[in-house]
Amino acid sequence: MSALSRSLVVDRPGQHRLATGPLPEPGPGEVRVRVAAAGICMSDREVYDGRRDPAYVRYPMVPGHEWAGTVDAVGQGVDPALTGRRTVAEGFRACGQCERCRCGETSLCTAGYDETGFTRPGAFADHVVVPARLLHLLADDADLRAAALLEPAAVVAAAVRAGAPEPGERIAVVGAGTLGLLAVQLLAAVSPGELTVIDPREERASLAVDFGAGDTRTPKQAEEVRGRYDLVVETAGAATTAADACLLARRGGRVVLTGMFTPGAVGIDPVHLSLSQLTVRSVFGAPSAAWSYAVRAFTAGLLDPAPLITHEFPLERFAEAVALVGAGDPETGKVLLRP
C-alpha cells in the first residue's frame, strides 16, 4: 500500500486543488476507509460555489459525504476484524450524549453541527477517516458504486419512516431526482394501493415507472388529483413544491418535506393546513435508525441505486464532474468520483 493519499481540497469557493500527503492515520476509536466511490450532490455544488450557509461549512475542506469503501486500518480500541469490511458511515458526528441523541434522534444532536464532508474531511479522496461507531457494514459482495448512494437513501428512509406508509394507501412522491427515485423504491416495497410520481421531466418520470411507480404526472396534471393522497413525500426542494405537496394530501393526510428549500420558497397556506388537519414533517439528514433501514433494504435487494448513476470521473476531473451537477441536463443523474 502506498504511504501517500490524495484528496480534493476546496480552499475557498471556486478554487480547488488535488493534494497529496501522508496516509491519514486513524486515531482512537476511528477507522480509515479506502474510498471506492463518492457521489456529488447539490450540497457539494453549493459548497464549491460558495452558496452554502457559512454555519454548515468550514473552508478549506475536503468535500464528500456520499461514499462507500473498505476499511483498511483501525485505531486504538477498534476491533481489528473490521479491516477488510465493505462499509458506509453516517455523516453527522453526533455526540451520543445529549438528550436528542439519547432519544435516538442523532440528526438533531444539540452539541452543534459537525458532518463529514462539510466540517470534517470527506471522501473526495483516496481515504477517509471516521469514527468506528458510525459505520454500517455491508455484505462482502456489496456493489460499492451503488452503496455510495446510501447516504441520500438514508435521508429518504428517514422520510419514509416519518410518513409511516401502510399497505394499500395512496402515496405521491413530488420530484423524480435522486431522492425521489430512491423514495419510490422504498415506498413500493410497502405495497401501496397507488404510487404516483410528480415531475415535469418526461425522462425522469419514465425512470420512476421502472423503479416501481404506477403513475406519473406533470405538476399541471397533478392539479387534477389534489386532495387524493394519504401520504405525500416531497423531495424536490423547488420554490412551490412544499405548498403543492400539502394540496395533494387528503384531509387528515400526512406530508413529509425532504427537499432542501432556499429563501423565497412559497409558504404553506396556514388556513388550508388547519382546515385539512394535515400532519406535516420535515427531514434534514438521517438518524442512525434511518441508516440501518436503508442498509437493510439495500442488502435485501429492495433498494438498488445503481441505475441512477450516469457519470463517473477520477479525482483529477473534479471540475468537469461538479459542473454537471445542477446544470439542468435531463441526461445527468448521479455523478460519482472514483478515487
Side-chain angles (χ1 to χ4, degrees):
M1 181 184 298
S2 171
L4 298 176
S5 183
R6 300 170 304 153
S7 58
L8 194 290
V9 181
V10 177
D11 289 304
R12 59 182 61 86
Q15 185 175 109
H16 72 278
R17 57 190 167 88
L18 187 60
T20 300
L23 200 63
E25 293 298 330
E30 296 180 330
V31 299
R32 184 180 68 219
V33 178
R34 179 70 168 88
V35 178
I40 305 177
C41 85
M42 275 302 298
S43 294
D44 300 309
R45 178 66 187 265
E46 290 170 359
V47 165
Y48 189 65
D49 290 344
R51 293 184 287 111
R52 188 169 174 86
D53 187 323
Y56 294 92
V57 64
R58 304 283 188 275
Y59 297 101
M61 49 91 75
V62 179
H65 61 285
E66 304 178 2
W67 58 270
T70 303
V71 177
D72 72 358
V74 302
Q76 181 181 351
V78 178
D79 186 355
L82 288 175
T83 304
R85 291 299 305 271
R86 298 187 179 199
T87 193
V88 291
E90 297 175 36
F92 286 136
R93 304 291 184 98
C95 73
Q97 299 177 353
C98 70
E99 182 179 6
R100 296 274 56 83
C101 282
R102 300 290 285 178
C103 290
E105 298 174 334
T106 51
S107 60
L108 296 176
C109 177
T110 60
Y113 174 73
D114 195 10
E115 185 176 4
T116 300
F118 296 103
T119 62
R120 302 290 186 104
F124 291 177
D126 291 327
H127 301 86
V128 62
V129 173
V130 297
R133 62 184 173 83
L134 299 181
L135 296 182
H136 288 266
L137 300 177
L138 305 173
D140 291 341
D141 60 350
D143 178 358
L144 292 179
R145 290 174 62 257
L149 276 69
L150 283 174
E151 191 276 341
V155 175
V156 168
V160 170
R161 285 168 53 84
E166 296 185 4
E169 287 194 312
R170 295 187 294 268
I171 301 175
V173 175
V174 179
T178 297
L179 292 180
L181 293 174
L182 292 172
V184 168
Q185 290 196 23
L186 292 180
L187 291 165
V190 302
S191 301
E194 296 179 18
L195 183 53
T196 301
V197 173
I198 298 162
D199 194 283
R201 300 166 294 181
E202 181 178 343
E203 299 85 356
R204 305 301 285 182
S206 175
L207 192 54
V209 173
D210 294 339
F211 273 46
D215 185 28
T216 63
R217 290 175 178 264
T218 66
K220 182 64 175 178
Q221 292 169 335
E223 294 177 6
E224 303 169 3
V225 288
R226 286 178 173 174
R228 178 172 181 78
Y229 298 99
D230 301 292
L231 171 63
V232 182
V233 179
E234 187 284 328
T235 67
T240 63
T241 50
D244 290 343
C246 291
L247 295 174
L248 288 166
R250 65 164 172 82
R251 294 191 69 198
R254 293 109 60 205
V255 177
V256 183
L257 305 177
T258 311
M260 293 299 293
F261 299 96
T262 58
V266 177
I268 297 169
D269 180 359
V271 176
H272 175 75
L273 185 65
S274 177
L275 293 179
S276 297
Q277 301 182 60
L278 299 181
T279 299
V280 180
R281 286 281 307 272
S282 62
V283 168
F284 175 69
S288 299
W291 273 91
S292 294
Y293 187 110
V295 170
R296 286 197 305 270
F298 177 70
T299 302
L302 299 174
L303 180 68
D304 179 17
L308 294 175
I309 301 167
T310 59
H311 296 78
E312 300 178 51
F313 295 91
L315 290 176
E316 293 86 350
R317 295 174 64 187
F318 169 75
E320 183 180 350
V322 76
L324 286 173
V325 178
D329 185 346
E331 298 298 320
T332 299
K334 176 54 67 174
V335 179
L336 295 184
L337 290 179
R338 299 294 302 275

